[in-house]
Amino acid sequence: MDEPLSALDKNLRDQMQIEIREIHQKLGITVVYVTHDQSEAMTMSSRIVVFDDGIVQQVAQPFKLYEKPQSAFVAQFVGENNSLNGTITQTNEKNCQVELESGEKINTQNSGGNKNGCEVLVSLRPERVQIATSQNELKNCENRIEGTIKEKIFLGDHMRVRFEACKKQDFVVNLPNSGENENLEEFVAGKKVWLGWGVGDCCALKQEK
């Protein structure tokens, strides 16, 4: 199937994804499904192959591809991602400390056994970041940095908040529209807050030249 749903509107596309999955399960055959829509690939696939310029970058189940990208290209290509550039200052092979270009030091997983002094890209998914007015409110967050709110966008099931943080103007946090985030209204543009996440929520990937 080569981009079979590309001409459909969103609602019909979502319905057809379910239909195709059900037909696939009933027939029990292998289907090669080509798409440039990452969310569609996640929905439709039991295994995803990511190509770059005709070269296979990673083959994995959707969850593993999203949570454990093996390269900076895959991390940036699959799903939304905060990409932070820095240099490894300490490492024990599994985890490492990275000094970001902005000067902050964070702790992260070390993907690929990068050594001290290695330039890396830290991949951090927007939904893994917590927001708080003080550091003490950030639970289970080894990494804590200050950020300034630039804008909020309500998207129904979640709130997208864009920050100026780590000398980046597009540091994004996605907060679910749930009872735990009832105080979202107090986070207004221009307000300084704390952003936090755990070591397991991010990974250091070797910079691609």
Side-chain angles (χ1 to χ4, degrees):
M1 293 186 171
D2 187 1
E3 302 275 4
L5 309 180
S6 59
L8 304 182
D9 62 43
K10 184 181 185 305
N11 289 339
L12 186 55
R13 178 181 294 201
D14 291 345
Q15 293 172 16
M16 287 304 299
Q17 288 177 10
I18 296 173
E19 291 285 344
I20 292 173
R21 284 179 60 91
E22 290 181 350
I23 292 172
H24 169 248
Q25 291 170 3
K26 289 178 181 177
L27 294 178
I29 62 175
T30 298
V31 176
V32 177
Y33 192 102
V34 180
T35 179
H36 289 85
D37 186 322
Q38 292 98 330
S39 62
E40 189 170 288
M42 292 284 183
T43 301
M44 301 298 294
S45 305
S46 57
R47 185 172 57 167
I48 298 175
V49 183
V50 178
F51 288 88
D52 179 28
D53 197 23
I55 300 173
V56 175
Q57 299 297 312
Q58 187 171 350
V59 182
Q61 296 174 325
F63 176 82
K64 187 172 182 180
L65 192 74
Y66 185 84
E67 296 292 342
K68 302 292 182 181
Q70 293 178 352
S71 70
F73 174 82
V74 173
Q76 293 174 303
F77 184 76
V78 178
E80 197 170 15
N81 181 62
N82 289 306
S83 300
L84 307 173
N85 296 316
T87 304
I88 293 180
T89 55
Q90 298 179 28
T91 181
N92 60 8
E93 299 301 329
K94 181 180 178 181
N95 297 325
C96 61
Q97 182 184 80
V98 175
E99 182 174 348
L100 302 178
E101 289 181 335
S102 54
E104 292 101 334
K105 291 184 178 180
I106 62 173
N107 296 302
T108 175
Q109 298 175 87
N110 188 3
S111 179
N114 299 301
K115 307 297 183 181
N116 285 352
C118 185
E119 294 184 357
V120 293
L121 178 144
V122 177
S123 171
L124 173 64
R125 299 296 184 186
E127 68 273 12
R128 294 302 182 88
V129 183
Q130 297 181 35
I131 301 178
T133 54
S134 70
Q135 292 194 60
N136 296 333
E137 298 176 48
L138 295 171
K139 299 177 181 179
N140 302 317
C141 293
E142 293 88 350
N143 300 305
R144 302 174 184 184
I145 62 172
E146 275 193 298
T148 302
I149 297 174
K150 304 299 290 184
E151 67 174 345
K152 295 189 303 182
I153 303 174
F154 180 69
L155 296 172
D157 61 342
H158 72 279
M159 181 78 76
R160 176 186 171 93
V161 188
R162 183 170 64 86
F163 290 87
E164 179 181 350
C166 302
K167 291 188 177 180
K168 293 176 67 72
Q169 297 290 325
D170 57 351
F171 190 106
V172 175
V173 179
N174 289 337
L175 301 174
N177 184 12
S178 64
E180 295 181 359
N181 291 314
E182 293 179 345
N183 60 342
L184 284 178
E185 292 302 321
E186 70 180 71
F187 294 124
V188 296
K191 183 171 184 176
K192 290 185 178 294
V193 298
W194 284 92
L195 309 173
W197 64 91
V199 173
D201 295 325
C202 53
C203 61
L205 303 159
K206 188 174 181 179
Q207 286 278 23
E208 297 171 354
K209 304 298 183 182

